[in-house]
Amino acid sequence: MMLNPKKLAYIISIGTLVTLSLSLTGLYLSRLFSKQESEKQEKEKWYLSLYEHNQDGIISVDLHLQIIGINPAAERIFAIREEDYKHQPVSSLLPGIIEEDREPIREMFVRTFQGEELRYETAIVTDQAEHIDISLLLAPVIVDHQFAGNYIIARDITEEKRTKERIRYLAFHDELTGLPNRRMFNQSLSSMIEAYRAMQKSFAVMVMDIDRFKMINDSLGHIYGDIFLQEMSGRIIEVLEGEQGVLARMGGDEFAAIFPEHKDAEHTLHLAERIIQATSTPFHLKDNDFYVTGSMGIAVFPEHGEDAVQLLINADTAMYEVKKQGKNGYLLFSQEVHTQLQERMELEADMRKALDRSEFILHYQPQIRTGDVSMIGVEALVRWNHPTRGLLYPGVFIPIAEETGLIIELGNQVLREACRQMYAWHQAGGPLIPVAVNLSSRQFHQPQLVEQISRTLQETGLAAEYLELEITESMMMDATISFDILHQLANLGIRISLDDFGTGYSSLSYLKNLPIHKVKIDRSFIEDIAENSSDKAIVSTIITMAKQLNMDVIAEGI
């Protein structure tokens, strides 16, 4: 066929352009597919890296329950090798799981084939008998909207679980002694109350405080204080061995226990006595023996309380009663103790009102010199003219005043009234003799004591030489404080008398270094002086010593 050369040129040009376009399109598509393939391979590498280097163990399982992959983390956690388990049924892993969890996990596998994602915590035991806690996630694998198998994702939670258990342990135990703490004790007590109320049975609750523990802590430091508490708890545990009780450290030097086997009061009190005996054995700390005692109170459910709060309050009440009676003992709560507590609480409330109503009055005991039977002074003795109970003596209300801190206000009132009355007697022509006033320990250590006494003398008009302050030996235990205070009082012209000499921590250094003008022999040495040769010798010695030191001597209670 003859073609027009011009048309042929067009045809060739068009054909060339079409061919070029197809070539370019093919090249573009080729590069596009190549890029997609490269991205796919890149993603596969990422996923493979995630699979290979994941800290969680991953086991791939197909639709036939055959293992098709195990990553290195799973090999490490389960202590297995991929080549030993690949293409094996997934059930071949079950023997490594603790026996009680095998059936629940088998049932979970069945449920995952219905598209559920399930979690479970269990433990495995390796061939080396190593116990490993694991968290399992059974997750279905979905490919093109079709279920294709599942992943078993395992995480080693052994350390995490130990940490949680440690935190839980510390939440309910005392870190120093390992005993249950207050929180756990209260929970145990509440549970015991519910159980024993249903069974209509009784049990005992004990609270104990270590006397003089502060002395060990202050003198040796907290490290030795901790060692002491550890040894103390060990001794109590040893006593309670074989008893189905709960012993707890409530804090500081306070312990508490529940005795569920409360057969009778005699059995419980026998246990209490053994514990007290164990505490009184000396503790060897820092090359020295330290002696402490314990004060214990006991309450019985339901006789002394039907709830935890009342039981502990009553046990505490009995314990503090032991402390008031001299410590180092135990006491079973009783109605009598309760009555005493109620009376003490009522007296405390009345005492606060009495101070405002001036219900406290002073009686004056004359001090007689036997040589010429002349009165050389008087001692102010406080009495409480109670509106309903009548005249109350110091033994009833002074301990309450000391406990509550009211002793300072009461002591200041007594001092002011004694100075006022003595000045009034002087002005009325009475003998120029001093008045003796007792200082309590709290008064002695109150801030600005010297200024307070000086101001009282100025306001009442009594000369300092006619005021005699009676102190006890216990006030002088801290020599640095007592030295300064006593010298300041003596510089004012006030006379100092040492009360109850010979009954406390007597030290001749007090008489040597402190401005003491009079020694008062305690009543206990005077009562039997006519029959007891020892008392006679002690009194004679005190009198001779005082004369040699140019001190006056007075015998109490004649």
Side-chain angles (χ1 to χ4, degrees), residues 236-282:
I236 301 175
I237 290 170
E238 188 175 342
V239 171
L240 297 180
E241 188 175 359
E243 300 287 335
Q244 298 178 0
V246 176
L247 175 66
R249 182 188 173 208
M250 304 295 275
D253 60 343
E254 184 181 355
F255 293 85
I258 302 172
F259 301 137
E261 295 297 319
H262 175 69
K263 304 177 182 68
D264 51 50
E266 186 178 349
H267 174 72
T268 300
L269 293 178
H270 177 64
L271 273 177
E273 184 175 354
R274 289 173 56 199
I275 293 173
I276 294 298
Q277 287 175 352
T279 62
S280 60
T281 305

Side-chain angles (χ1 to χ4, degrees), residues 345-398:
M345 291 172 64
E346 291 172 5
L347 282 176
E348 180 185 336
D350 291 345
M351 186 180 293
R352 297 180 186 277
K353 300 172 186 175
L355 288 167
D356 296 330
R357 297 172 180 171
S358 302
E359 292 178 4
F360 291 98
I361 60 175
L362 294 186
H363 288 183
Y364 297 90
Q365 183 180 26
Q367 297 175 339
I368 305 297
R369 185 168 55 209
T370 56
D372 54 5
V373 198
S374 61
M375 185 166 62
I376 59 168
V378 294
E379 180 180 355
L381 304 175
V382 65
R383 304 288 185 260
W384 183 359
N385 192 13
H386 196 281
T388 59
R389 298 172 187 250
L391 197 65
L392 300 180
Y393 287 81
V396 175
F397 59 85
I398 289 297

Side-chain angles (χ1 to χ4, degrees), residues 299-356:
V300 177
F301 170 86
E303 181 182 348
H304 302 144
E306 296 190 1
D307 58 64
V309 173
Q310 195 59 49
L311 277 172
L312 290 175
I313 287 176
N314 289 340
D316 272 333
T317 299
M319 180 188 72
Y320 286 117
E321 194 63 30
V322 173
K323 285 184 174 292
K324 291 181 181 68
Q325 294 173 5
K327 306 177 181 179
N328 192 29
Y330 56 89
L331 180 65
L332 180 65
F333 181 82
S334 64
Q335 190 58 42
E336 181 182 354
V337 173
H338 177 69
T339 303
Q340 291 174 356
L341 173 65
Q342 290 296 113
E343 183 179 347
R344 188 180 293 115
M345 291 172 64
E346 291 172 5
L347 282 176
E348 180 185 336
D350 291 345
M351 186 180 293
R352 297 180 186 277
K353 300 172 186 175
L355 288 167
D356 296 330

Side-chain angles (χ1 to χ4, degrees), residues 439-490:
L439 271 187
S440 71
S441 179
R442 284 205 178 192
Q443 268 185 290
F444 186 75
H445 292 99
Q446 69 175 309
Q448 299 179 332
L449 170 70
V450 179
E451 291 82 353
Q452 167 77 18
I453 294 175
S454 177
R455 186 164 56 251
T456 300
L457 290 172
Q458 291 175 5
E459 292 173 356
T460 58
L462 184 68
E465 62 187 291
Y466 296 115
L467 175 62
E468 183 177 295
L469 295 177
E470 293 190 359
I471 63 172
T472 60
E473 296 176 45
S474 61
M475 297 181 195
M476 296 181 288
M477 293 299 290
D478 191 336
T480 55
I481 295 176
S482 57
F483 184 88
D484 290 339
I485 294 175
L486 292 177
H487 275 86
Q488 289 180 54
L489 292 172

Side-chain angles (χ1 to χ4, degrees), residues 413-434:
Q413 281 193 11
V414 168
L415 178 66
R416 179 178 295 276
E417 174 59 21
C419 291
R420 185 201 66 77
Q421 181 64 72
M422 183 52 68
Y423 178 74
W425 280 336
H426 288 175
Q427 293 299 106
L432 297 178
I433 56 175

Side-chain angles (χ1 to χ4, degrees), residues 131-177:
H131 186 96
I132 300 174
D133 294 299
I134 59 172
S135 171
L136 289 180
L137 171 62
L138 305 180
V141 177
I142 307 298
V143 178
D144 295 331
H145 306 290
Q146 295 293 323
F147 179 72
N150 59 33
Y151 284 129
I152 302 172
I153 302 175
R155 174 173 293 178
D156 186 347
I157 59 169
T158 305
E159 197 59 39
E160 179 183 337
K161 200 165 184 179
R162 285 176 185 166
T163 302
K164 287 182 179 178
E165 288 174 356
R166 177 64 178 167
I167 293 172
R168 177 176 174 77
Y169 176 85
L170 292 177
F172 291 96
H173 289 80
D174 173 49
E175 189 173 8
L176 178 64
T177 62

